[in-house]
Amino acid sequence: MAFIALSDLVYLVCLISLQFTAAKPDGCGIRANTQTRIVGGEISYPGKWPWMAAFYRSNSNQYCAGALISDRHVLTAAHCVAAIQPSKLQIRLGEFDLSGRLPVPLPENNNNSARALLEENSAFQNNIYNVEKITVHQQYEPRSHLHDIAIVRLNRPVEFSTVIQRICLPPPSLPSLEDRTAFVAGWGTTAFLGSTSSSLREVEVPIWNNQACLEAIGKNVFDTTLCAGGRIKSADACQGDSGGPLMMPMVDDRWAAIGVVSWGIRCGEPTKPGLYTRTSHYTDWILSTVQQRT
């Protein structure tokens, strides 16, 4: 069985800081499609977020998301997988539009590359993975959403391509991210109790101070929580986006998963940010879980 080299992952974790250190020419956090422009968001483009994972239960539509962090592991929210047997779960990687369509219209300067990436993934029929093991954080509390984080181990190694890559992890300690912006992407509903999106959507959201977040939400905001969302326009994750990554470019424009979509009050409320599990608090736990071979 193939496993990610822990030494390689540790090196990349240490590398991803807000101090601009030289990066390796290969590895995590690199996108094939860098064109940048969910609730208040826009349709994305093939290859732009190549670590996105779509979660499916047996005989159901896509219901949660995650982020590929190694050739065998997907990071997600505990509430997405805590009550599911591994045999009842499938993961699809390299997806853009779950119905196989391209967004219309495509930007003129991106039309050919986007189509090429979709065609590449359509020809690659090996992007559906069964699940071998689910590891939910041992202190996960469903009622308060505390420690809402989990790792799914795939049944076989991933074949990396232009549309399937892994995202970086942040170091265990990060400086304040308040007032910076990050991206969240997903196939979830485009409004509270609304319809889902077959195409991957993305939105840029500002990160809140935790005290302001607590005042806005009223409870269940911890030091392991990261809050982000539109203060003026409605920009947020919503139902079906749970488990997906909150993403920020760091060293050499490498992208890291600084948060995991956890919960919120409705969706896209300007005065109510979305709540994310703060990934940097769990970096050591993630590394320890990834290196377990059973």
Side-chain angles (χ1 to χ4, degrees), residues 61-83:
N61 295 325
Q62 182 269 338
Y63 77 100
C64 265
L68 187 68
I69 58 171
S70 87
D71 69 344
R72 290 291 289 269
H73 299 86
V74 175
L75 183 68
T76 190
H79 76 265
C80 286
V81 294

Side-chain angles (χ1 to χ4, degrees), residues 38 49 58 148 203:
I38 279 178
W49 310 113
S58 299
D148 188 10
V203 68

Side-chain angles (χ1 to χ4, degrees), residues 4-75:
I4 185 170
L6 186 64
S7 58
D8 185 47
L9 187 55
V10 169
Y11 178 75
L12 287 164
V13 165
C14 294
L15 185 71
I16 298 302
S17 68
L18 297 183
Q19 298 174 352
F20 295 91
T21 319
K24 294 173 64 177
D26 58 355
C28 65
I30 299 173
R31 306 181 303 177
N33 188 333
T34 59
Q35 188 151 155
T36 300
R37 247 304 151 237
I38 279 178
V39 174
E42 300 178 0
I43 292 177
S44 186
Y45 299 97
K48 189 170 179 183
W49 310 113
W51 36 78
M52 290 296 299
F55 280 48
Y56 291 79
R57 286 178 291 225
S58 299
N59 302 316
S60 75
N61 295 325
Q62 182 269 338
Y63 77 100
C64 265
L68 187 68
I69 58 171
S70 87
D71 69 344
R72 290 291 289 269
H73 299 86
V74 175
L75 183 68

Side-chain angles (χ1 to χ4, degrees), residues 238-252:
C238 207
Q239 294 101 339
D241 295 323
S242 287
L246 182 66
M247 305 169 285
M248 179 180 287
M250 293 190 178
V251 174
D252 288 356

